[in-house]
Amino acid sequence: MLELAFLGAFFLSTVRLTFSQESGYRHSAVLDANGKYRIKWKFDDTTVTFELEVETTGYVGFGFSSNGAMALSDIVIGGVSNGKPYLQDYFADPSRKVHRDAEQSYRLVYGTENATHTVLAFSRDLITCDPNDKDISASTVRVIWAYHEEDVRPSGPMYHGVNRGRKSLRLLNPGSGAAAPLGSASFDLQNDHVPVPSKDTTYWCRIFKIPEVQKKHHIIRIEPLIQRGHENLVHHILLYQCDSSLDETDLKRGHECFHPNMPDSFITCETVVFAWAIGGEGFSYPSHVGLSIGTSIDPVYVLMEVHYDNPTLQQGLLDSSGLRLFYTPKLRQYDAGVIETGVWVSLYHMLPPGMQDYVSEGHCTRECLQESLEHEMPSGVQVFAVLLHAHLAGRAIRTRHFRDHEELKPLAYDDEFDFNFQEFLPLSKERLLLPGDNLITECKYNTKGRVNMTWGGLSTRDEMCLSYLLYYPRINLARCESLPEINGQLKFIGVKEIQLPVRTWPFVIKSPKRYSNLSFTEAMDKFRWSKKRGKAFNEVVLQLPMNVRCSKWGQDEWSIQGMIVSPPEVRRDSRPTPTLCSPRSKVSSSSSSSQLPALTTLFYCCCLLSSALLCPSL
């Protein structure tokens, strides 16, 4: 019996390895914490194909959900019973009850089983035109999974119990997860038992010195080092380049960021070098691009800013998370840079409560790109990856690109934004950014459950609207952002006069009487917001003059910095035209759920290994 189990395991592993390699699965993920549920996938312009490998001899469930919940999800369930692979398309109603879909959109490719595992492969169209199916796009996809020790019964699948979960993935735009070349040198920037305060938001900063190298090197990959169990505590990590003449007495001295008592040297760390956010994995630079170290303009000291998100106010937490950077003396053609674009983080970025769809726009203006690029790189720069960043109210983000008043394809977008899953999106094709172009980072928010204003700020409960652009060749431009002018926002709620001179922040209102002696944030909260007023406020804000932020490395600025400009006239709804589902031949329920011929597991394995003519093809 032991020999039979071993033989089955051998055949299964051999088939899995051989067939996966031949079938060209390029992407993979582990969906559970214990490594019992693994997936591989590949895709083309119309179809996606999955291979599931699950530690069970019963059924395997897999599906897609708008919010990660079971209700209204699109599900496929399959397995191997008596040597026969089976597959069925299901959907869940609003009460989470599972129903067999009348239109079977999933196509069985192959299925095998041994004494411990089931391997199941299937495909489906990206857009099925079935109202019970969820379209698959380049946006974030919330995958749900489950399994059971028994196969599906004639009455339907048994309840899976605790063998279930969810995970956000980008199926059609996976992150750059290629490992560093074997033997690559690396160094770690890592905190050492930071005492995380018992408050919902903490920004912790620490300065590190980059290892000295005798000549120029390129950093080619950066990986997060998140302490086990702290995956939801560490929300994001930013690396800033500091002044190269910094006092080394501040090295390795950690302190809360943005604090009155923080070391003065922290203020010199202004330029973003790299950004990582929750849910993201490692990032590998393209083969022709690297992050330069070792030259006179490269980072000597970097500040690592870690955002801790502790909404349950846990006590006694000690964290040692950080980043690992791989580098090489084999230089690449270009040096990489980062430009922060979007809405300048400020209280002037405000969202009314009770809004289903509130839109903010952060402008990287044509004036800023004209001045900086004309001076630094008139032929333009190439953007190769984008990190889209917002907080809890964020629902969708896109970075729009304009040239000569014409809109090009978005640089990047995510119409299913997940706060807990943020990573750099590598562009399928690099995008040229020219002098005189302009960018708009457009964020859509939902504040329906909130009773007060949501403010732009650092807390997870505050909001941001940012896109970090990775590009080459590196130029002296760190931030290209905007902020709506405050006077128009105050005028909307009836403010007539503020107290001058301004001695406090937030500043105080003088008139009218109903707001007298209130800060502007208190006045905004006192205003009686409604859905109609919130919508009107949104329309006003999108048309307000804006303050331009156009800064260089460190604390230097381009001359356009601080200028007040009007937003360009653009079409507000830039979403792609929906795909029209035309009548077409449907896959019948009987054909799509048909079983493969009755084969023993051993014969099926031999079939896969020996004769492609006898086996289902991809």
Side-chain angles (χ1 to χ4, degrees), residues 464-585:
M464 293 185 180
C465 180
L466 297 171
S467 53
Y468 292 93
L469 313 183
L470 281 180
Y471 72 95
Y472 69 85
R474 178 177 53 176
I475 62 172
N476 195 357
L477 177 62
R479 289 180 172 88
C480 184
E481 299 166 321
S482 73
L483 190 63
E485 183 264 338
I486 187 60
N487 291 334
Q489 300 184 72
L490 293 176
K491 184 178 178 180
F492 182 88
I493 67 168
V495 171
K496 296 181 179 179
E497 191 176 5
I498 67 172
Q499 292 186 8
L500 295 174
V502 175
R503 291 192 175 94
T504 61
W505 180 256
F507 57 77
V508 177
I509 307 300
K510 184 176 181 180
S511 68
K513 187 175 180 179
R514 67 179 181 274
Y515 297 140
S516 181
N517 293 318
L518 296 181
S519 68
F520 87 82
T521 55
E522 291 170 331
M524 280 287 178
D525 275 333
K526 186 175 182 179
F527 184 71
R528 296 181 62 182
W529 292 101
S530 64
K531 183 177 179 180
K532 182 177 180 180
R533 287 177 172 177
K535 184 177 180 180
F537 180 73
N538 199 173
E539 292 172 353
V540 167
V541 170
L542 292 176
Q543 298 299 325
L544 286 176
M546 53 194 185
N547 193 304
V548 172
R549 189 181 198 187
C550 188
S551 59
K552 301 180 180 181
W553 303 333
Q555 296 176 303
D556 294 333
E557 302 167 350
W558 290 99
S559 66
I560 194 71
Q561 171 99 357
M563 180 179 286
I564 303 296
V565 301
S566 297
E569 293 185 9
V570 296
R571 183 168 56 91
R572 293 297 171 197
D573 185 4
S574 65
R575 300 303 190 264
T577 304
T579 301
L580 299 178
C581 290
S582 57
R584 58 187 176 89
S585 58

Side-chain angles (χ1 to χ4, degrees), residues 295-326:
T295 77
S296 60
I297 62 171
D298 292 337
V300 176
Y301 306 99
V302 292
L303 180 142
M304 185 173 74
E305 171 194 295
V306 181
H307 174 191
Y308 293 113
D309 182 33
N310 186 15
T312 59
L313 310 182
Q314 296 182 68
Q315 297 181 349
L317 294 173
L318 298 174
D319 181 70
S320 298
S321 298
L323 298 170
R324 175 165 293 161
L325 295 84
F326 295 86

